[in-house]
Amino acid sequence: MGWKTRGKVSDDPASPGVGEVKNNPSSTAPGTAGGVGGYAQAEWGPAKPRICWGMEVKDSQRLKCGEEVSDPRIVNEVAKLISEFIRRVERYRSVLLSDEITPFSYAISALSDWLKVVVVEVDTVIMELKAVEHEVGKNMLKLAEEAREKWFKIYRSELEELIEKLRKGEAVIIITGDPFNESRSFIAHLYTRYLAIEIERIAKSPDNITIEISLSDLGGIDVVMPKLFSDNILEAMRYGLLLTDGSIVKGYPAMNTNQLWQVIAWILVWSGIVHIYINGININNNISIKWHLRAISHRDKIKNKDEVVKLVLKLNNDEFLIFLLFALLGDGHFDIKNKMIKLDIGVSKYELWVDIIKKIKSYGFKEYDSRNKKTYIIWTYKAIELTRKMLSSSTIKAMIESLSILPDAEKLRRLIALTNIKIKPRGSLSIEIDNIKMSIHVRDEGYIEIRILRKNYEDARAIQERLNSAGYKAKLRKNGKSFEVCIDIDEIKKHPELIAKVCETLRRIHEETINENNAVKAWKVAKAIMRLNCRNPT
């Protein structure tokens, strides 16, 4: 007996062509005995596979065997990776080893349905844009269909043979990285004639294992793109993509992605020749195609990302908003429920982004730190106003709306939904006292305060003194890193003109909350109205 996995591997089928996992990949599969780090514990039988350290080969992306591995501790770490690989193949058997479904079936179905959608446009520019989008989609569909055919002819049988060799202990496993240092990655490499598989334990995240299968002998397509936007708009778009999901490979702007909408978006912004091909699949939270894109006509026009940052900082305000939009499409998140936009910058990227971040903060983004990244968030009406400004170009908006129809474009659908949220005009919860705009805060039980916040103590102190001089007893207190000047309900009651202003605002807020069916907030505001004994307007 060669390789075996302790316990029963789940045979719960994945969704056709999608293979969505319902439980976390770091957890043990249903019915599988738990192993070290949450993965199924594997055992070596009498026949053990050959394990060796990888050596680079000139002019080849594949490694060759170097020193043989005999240390049982390393062998055990390798066993965990191989066990997880076999577990996922079994998990996605209905996609990977089926006679009907392949990893490319989902993309073929999604692109086919998307290409059937016909939208009549009056604007000739938008008509041209959508025609080009569809031409790109047709090329992607052709590549996916070719990959499907080769999967049935070549790749599937090689995968089956490899799994059998692993179980019999006949496979060769090449390893790289550090098996014992969890702050570094550790990778098991498996090769067949047309498959190159990497099973990687992610650095600083030992419970996270990613699996990529690269496919040889798949041809690509050169797409010739017309210039759909002005030069300054195109440059802003490109910079946003390059500084997030993009890269510069041998002088070419390039990107790897598993999202259909992002493939099309990338191609649309690089005029000239763009090369596109499928270079493999990922087997992680789901099964996804790896698309590789390269802007052939733009070789050596941008040397590195440091140069991109310098160009971004030269953009005017309108262009910077477009850059920010495409950066958010890469590393951002749009939250409808909380009316929020979030941008994540990895710690490794922060130094590169530091000057850009200063400008991003000027739009109202707040910074939050975590161990491996910095997060920038903008909330409520500021977030909604920002999305509307970023989509103020009818052509860019049409592009986003068209791509949002693709089933994997949830991010685009959330972006569009955020722009459509009804917001109250700025200042609707505010009143003006001696030309100072202050916010009304209603607490539980109807307790009211009028507040204004300042980061600088001297500024807050000056506002307090100005209110005191106007006859209002204002308090100054610390609020986190800022300073807050407030007028409480007892002070409000001493000034009839102030009561009238607050009551008018509260009545409007109460009416709005009733219209929004927000019963909890409406009741709080109603209690505040009673506390102030607000009279109905005459």
Side-chain angles (χ1 to χ4, degrees):
M1 182 181 294
W3 170 273
K4 63 180 180 179
T5 304
R6 184 181 297 163
K8 180 185 175 184
V9 176
S10 170
D11 58 357
D12 186 23
S15 300
V18 182
E20 185 178 356
V21 176
K22 294 181 181 178
N23 52 328
N24 191 302
S26 65
S27 64
T28 307
T32 305
V36 180
Y39 293 95
Q41 179 63 52
E43 296 177 325
W44 300 109
K48 297 180 181 178
R50 182 184 176 195
I51 303 175
C52 54
W53 288 103
M55 294 179 60
E56 292 186 358
V57 179
K58 187 178 180 181
D59 299 326
S60 175
Q61 293 183 342
R62 295 194 173 196
L63 303 171
K64 70 175 182 179
C65 260
E67 182 183 354
E68 297 271 343
V69 173
S70 58
D71 186 334
R73 298 176 303 160
I74 298 178
V75 171
N76 188 54
E77 294 302 315
V78 175
K80 295 175 191 175
L81 296 181
I82 300 301
S83 177
E84 179 62 12
F85 171 60
I86 292 176
R87 186 188 77 83
R88 290 196 199 173
V89 171
E90 291 294 334
R91 170 72 174 169
Y92 299 118
R93 170 177 286 276
S94 63
V95 177
L96 296 172
L97 306 178
S98 168
D99 291 330
E100 298 178 0
I101 300 169
T102 73
F104 310 97
S105 298
Y106 169 75
I108 291 169
S109 175
L111 288 167
S112 298
D113 290 344
W114 182 70
L115 288 168
K116 292 175 185 175
V117 177
V118 178
V119 179
V120 179
E121 285 289 345
V122 177
D123 189 307
T124 55
V125 175
I126 295 176
M127 283 176 63
E128 182 187 7
L129 169 69
K130 294 195 174 182
V132 173
E133 285 178 343
H134 275 228
E135 193 60 35
V136 173
K138 290 175 185 177
N139 282 304
M140 291 172 64
L141 180 59
K142 180 181 177 182
L143 288 175
E145 288 173 339
E146 289 174 356
R148 177 183 60 187
E149 294 307 310
K150 285 203 172 178
W151 184 267
F152 283 133
K153 289 179 181 178
I154 302 172
Y155 304 131
R156 183 187 61 179
S157 59
E158 286 200 358
L159 181 60
E160 288 174 327
E161 290 169 9
L162 176 61
I163 294 295
E164 189 62 24
K165 283 184 178 181
L166 286 168
R167 286 175 171 149
K168 290 180 177 179
E170 297 173 356
V172 176
I173 303 170
I174 300 176
I175 60 173
T176 55
D178 193 325
F180 306 126
N181 184 354
E182 293 184 347
S183 65
R184 297 185 60 194
S185 64
F186 180 55
I187 308 172
H189 306 262
L190 300 168
Y191 298 120
T192 68
R193 183 177 179 184
Y194 291 103
L195 304 180
I197 300 165
E198 289 188 0
I199 310 153
E200 181 177 3
R201 185 197 70 200
I202 300 299
K204 299 179 181 178
S205 184
D207 289 341
N208 187 9
I209 293 177
T210 62
I211 299 175
E212 294 186 0
I213 302 181
S214 297
L215 308 171
S216 301
D217 203 35
L218 276 179
I221 292 176
D222 284 339
V223 179
V224 180
M225 286 300 302
K227 186 183 289 186
L228 298 168
F229 302 89
S230 64
D231 286 336
N232 58 333
I233 298 302
L234 285 171
E235 287 167 0
M237 293 172 170
R238 293 165 185 168
Y239 301 156
L241 292 172
L242 280 174
L243 288 184
T244 52
D245 292 337
S247 58
I248 299 170
V249 180
K250 296 180 180 179
Y252 295 104
M255 183 173 70
N256 288 304
T257 180
N258 57 17
Q259 299 176 92
L260 299 174
W261 69 265
Q262 197 171 35
V263 174
I264 300 172
W266 169 275
I267 295 173
L268 291 176
V269 306
W270 295 98
S271 53
I273 299 171
V274 180
H275 187 69
I276 171 175
Y277 67 94
I278 294 170
N279 60 353
I281 61 172
N282 296 318
I283 312 178
N284 298 310
N285 288 340
N286 53 36
I287 296 178
S288 57
I289 301 175
K290 296 192 299 178
W291 299 85
H292 181 79
L293 313 165
R294 189 168 291 194
I296 303 299
S297 299
H298 294 265
R299 185 178 184 182
D300 295 329
K301 291 185 179 179
I302 299 174
K303 294 179 181 178
N304 51 49
K305 291 194 176 185
D306 289 324
E307 184 178 322
V308 177
V309 170
K310 292 176 183 177
L311 293 169
V312 169
L313 296 173
K314 293 179 181 179
L315 298 175
N316 64 34
N317 287 335
D318 291 339
E319 294 160 358
F320 187 84
L321 280 174
I322 295 169
F323 157 78
L324 182 56
L325 169 62
F326 279 76
L328 288 165
L329 292 179
D331 289 344
H333 175 75
F334 301 100
D335 186 329
I336 303 167
K337 181 180 178 181
N338 297 306
K339 302 180 183 67
M340 174 188 79
I341 302 173
K342 180 172 71 172
L343 177 66
D344 290 322
I345 304 295
V347 172
S348 60
K349 284 185 180 180
Y350 179 75
E351 188 174 345
L352 178 70
W353 277 73
V354 65
D355 290 328
I356 296 176
I357 286 166
K358 291 176 184 176
K359 193 163 184 178
I360 288 174
K361 284 183 173 180
S362 70
Y363 290 94
F365 283 84
K366 304 297 181 185
E367 183 176 290
Y368 301 87
D369 286 327
S370 62
R371 187 178 65 175
N372 298 320
K373 65 182 178 182
K374 288 182 179 288
T375 299
Y376 300 88
I377 300 178
I378 186 169
W379 304 87
T380 58
Y381 72 87
K382 289 184 179 179
I384 296 166
E385 286 181 347
L386 182 62
T387 58
R388 291 175 180 175
K389 288 177 181 176
M390 292 190 297
L391 292 180
S392 59
S393 162
S394 60
T395 312
I396 292 176
K397 186 177 182 182
M399 171 183 165
I400 298 296
E401 288 176 340
S402 178
L403 296 180
S404 73
I405 300 171
L406 285 160
D408 66 351
E410 179 60 28
K411 178 180 283 189
L412 304 190
R413 290 190 285 275
R414 290 198 299 265
L415 165 62
I416 294 167
L418 205 54
T419 66
N420 293 327
I421 292 176
K422 184 180 178 181
I423 55 173
K424 300 179 180 69
R426 291 186 64 175
S428 63
L429 303 182
S430 303
I431 63 170
E432 209 169 271
I433 305 175
D434 197 33
N435 294 320
I436 301 171
K437 192 167 281 188
M438 301 181 73
S439 299
I440 298 174
H441 287 257
V442 182
R443 294 181 177 178
D444 292 337
E445 303 304 323
Y447 186 82
I448 301 171
E449 281 188 339
I450 306 173
R451 305 175 187 170
I452 187 170
L453 197 67
R454 287 292 181 267
K455 291 183 178 180
N456 186 281
Y457 172 79
E458 286 74 20
D459 291 344
R461 179 65 179 163
I463 290 173
Q464 182 193 28
E465 291 176 353
R466 184 170 163 184
L467 290 171
N468 288 342
S469 298
Y472 304 99
K473 187 178 180 181
K475 299 176 182 178
L476 176 60
R477 63 195 179 199
K478 206 163 187 314
N479 185 340
K481 295 181 180 180
S482 302
F483 298 89
E484 190 173 67
V485 180
C486 69
I487 299 174
D488 62 24
I489 191 168
D490 293 330
E491 182 65 18
I492 294 170
K493 288 180 176 179
K494 295 176 183 177
H495 303 274
E497 79 288 351
L498 196 51
I499 293 174
K501 286 183 179 181
V502 173
C503 286
E504 181 184 353
T505 303
L506 289 175
R507 280 192 290 264
R508 188 174 68 249
I509 295 170
H510 186 254
E511 183 178 347
E512 289 173 356
T513 53
I514 290 175
N515 292 336
E516 294 169 359
N517 293 319
N518 191 338
V520 174
K521 185 176 178 181
W523 179 236
K524 284 169 60 174
V525 175
K527 284 191 274 190
I529 290 171
M530 288 186 284
R531 275 186 176 276
L532 278 180
N533 195 24
C534 296
R535 295 180 180 179
N536 291 326
T538 56

